[in-house]
Amino acid sequence: MKILNMRPCSGGRRFASIDVEMAPGVRAMDVSVIRKTDGSLRVFGHSLTFDRTVADGLARAAVAVGECQYERR
């Protein structure tokens, strides 16, 4: 994993907002880093983005799954 960008937050429990590359081509954007009451940090994701290669591969896989489902009927 690699942190691509970090934006510190002031006030409240939200410590920072980060963009993370979780694996090559798989990115989680605007992930919240929250400070819990015991002082530990917790991460919550809001959305994911994919680079073109991963997105194209997912699209091909979705089409293949769809075709298989239609053939079974």
Side-chain angles (χ1 to χ4, degrees), residues 2-71:
K2 178 172 54 172
I3 303 296
L4 302 172
N5 190 20
M6 181 176 151
R7 295 166 300 284
C9 298
S10 59
R13 294 175 10 141
R14 193 171 183 194
F15 175 76
S17 177
I18 58 174
D19 300 334
V20 182
E21 185 169 46
M22 298 165 31
V26 180
R27 298 181 189 107
M29 311 305 282
D30 195 33
V31 174
S32 294
V33 182
I34 305 295
R35 185 174 304 279
K36 294 174 48 176
T37 55
D38 66 359
S40 63
L41 298 174
R42 180 76 63 169
V43 176
F44 296 97
H46 302 288
S47 63
L48 292 174
T49 62
F50 303 98
D51 74 15
R52 186 170 302 272
T53 304
V54 173
D56 290 347
L58 288 171
R60 284 191 301 273
V63 168
V65 167
E67 289 173 354
C68 289
Q69 288 176 345
Y70 290 117
E71 287 175 10

